[in-house]
Amino acid sequence: MVVLSGDRGKFLVDAGISVSEGKVRAALNEIGPTQVTYLINTHWHWDHTDGNGWLHDSGATIVAHQNTLKHLSQATQVDDWNWTMPPVPTGARPTILVNDSTTFIFAGDTIHVNHYGPGHTDGDLSIYFEKADVLALGDTFWNGYYPFIDNQDGGNINDAIKWADKAIECATDKTIVVPGHGPEGTRSQLIEFRNMLATVRDDVAVLKRQGKLLDEVIAAKPSATFDEKWGRFVIDPAHFIRLVYAGL
Ligand SMILES: [Zn+2]
């Protein structure tokens, strides 16, 4: 989550999960006394939007890509989680929709919101705070971990790499790059992430072109050189290979 705090309100990136409401409220109050004016969802996944309801009840207008609204408005099955996400209540749905790009002038900063097509999902947004030089990438960037890729909802490995390329273009060595998971990062960590994605993609693609089945590709351990560093979080090496393979 990222917050820009001004005299008349706050601009918040992602809502977190709703059980964190108390902690998020306390953290927001520590930053300043104003309410959240705008909440922007980087994408539809539960861990980024579940807090939409209480934030909207506290006065926030919710901004998201139109496909994020689509997913939040209907039951969505995610096979990888073996779970059907129900539609969220009307108040928790975005009301300002972004197609490609938009700009907010807020608390003395210019906030550039961009959609570069599918990536992690079909409704990802990147949010760049120009004056603060902070780039929030949602789950198109996992800093130090293999990412989840929502193949069922428009995401895929090739477009995930394209998103990383766009993000690298947007950042300088001074930019604070905020991932969806993992610690606050830098442009060089973003480049490392991009190169990991591309190398694993290339290696899996070679095996798939040889006609190898998913289980055979996993058994060949094409990501072995990255597994110790990147494979220690929710997406383990075999899961990541499944996600890459499904997108090729
Ligand atoms: Zn996600």
Side-chain angles (χ1 to χ4, degrees):
M1 295 167 77
V2 175
V3 57
L4 172 65
S5 184
D7 294 339
R8 280 177 292 181
K10 294 190 178 80
F11 189 105
L12 181 65
V13 178
D14 280 342
I17 55 176
S18 58
V19 291
S20 304
E21 176 181 344
K23 284 182 183 174
V24 174
R25 274 189 194 277
L28 290 171
N29 288 337
E30 217 168 281
I31 294 167
T34 58
Q35 296 296 309
V36 174
T37 310
Y38 292 107
L39 162 66
I40 186 158
N41 293 144
T42 56
H43 63 296
W44 75 277
H45 286 154
W46 170 83
D47 51 327
H48 299 257
T49 57
D50 189 47
N52 279 12
W54 75 261
L55 280 153
H56 175 259
D57 290 345
S58 307
T61 297
I62 304 172
V63 183
H65 188 266
Q66 55 194 356
N67 288 334
T68 295
L69 172 64
K70 185 186 79 185
H71 293 302
L72 293 177
S73 306
Q74 64 192 25
T76 303
Q77 167 70 22
V78 182
D79 290 340
D80 264 299
W81 304 335
N82 195 19
W83 193 257
T84 301
M85 304 302 294
V88 303
T90 311
R93 296 177 194 175
T95 52
I96 297 181
L97 300 181
V98 180
N99 265 324
D100 300 315
S101 64
T102 192
T103 303
F104 290 84
I105 307 293
F106 193 92
D109 209 335
T110 304
I111 304 163
H112 302 272
V113 180
N114 284 299
H115 174 70
Y116 302 120
H120 167 71
T121 67
D122 58 5
D124 302 296
L125 294 177
S126 109
I127 299 105
Y128 179 60
F129 297 84
E130 187 179 304
K131 192 169 153 201
D133 198 9
V134 172
L135 177 62
L137 294 171
D139 281 358
T140 64
F141 178 36
W142 292 42
N143 191 12
Y145 305 120
Y146 287 142
F148 180 62
I149 298 171
D150 191 347
N151 287 287
Q152 264 181 299
D153 298 300
N156 66 83
I157 181 65
N158 285 319
D159 286 325
I161 295 166
K162 189 185 72 190
W163 266 82
D165 286 334
K166 290 283 187 186
I168 290 163
E169 265 175 45
C170 290
T172 70
D173 289 340
K174 292 189 181 122
T175 306
I176 295 170
V177 185
V178 182
H181 297 278
E184 182 185 298
T186 61
R187 184 172 186 270
S188 67
Q189 288 172 316
L190 193 54
I191 292 170
E192 205 185 338
F193 174 74
R194 188 263 175 221
N195 290 342
M196 177 277 292
L197 292 181
T199 306
V200 175
R201 185 265 320 267
D202 291 348
D203 291 348
V204 171
V206 166
L207 295 168
K208 195 170 180 179
R209 269 201 303 273
Q210 291 169 358
K212 291 210 165 38
L213 302 174
L214 174 60
D215 286 345
E216 296 171 317
V217 174
I218 291 171
K221 297 191 187 302
S223 64
T225 54
F226 295 103
D227 289 348
E228 197 178 321
K229 174 176 165 56
W230 300 84
R232 293 169 291 107
F233 192 45
V234 289
I235 308 298
D236 64 25
H239 191 178
F240 184 55
I241 298 303
R242 271 207 314 278
L243 296 171
V244 171
Y245 186 93
L248 294 172

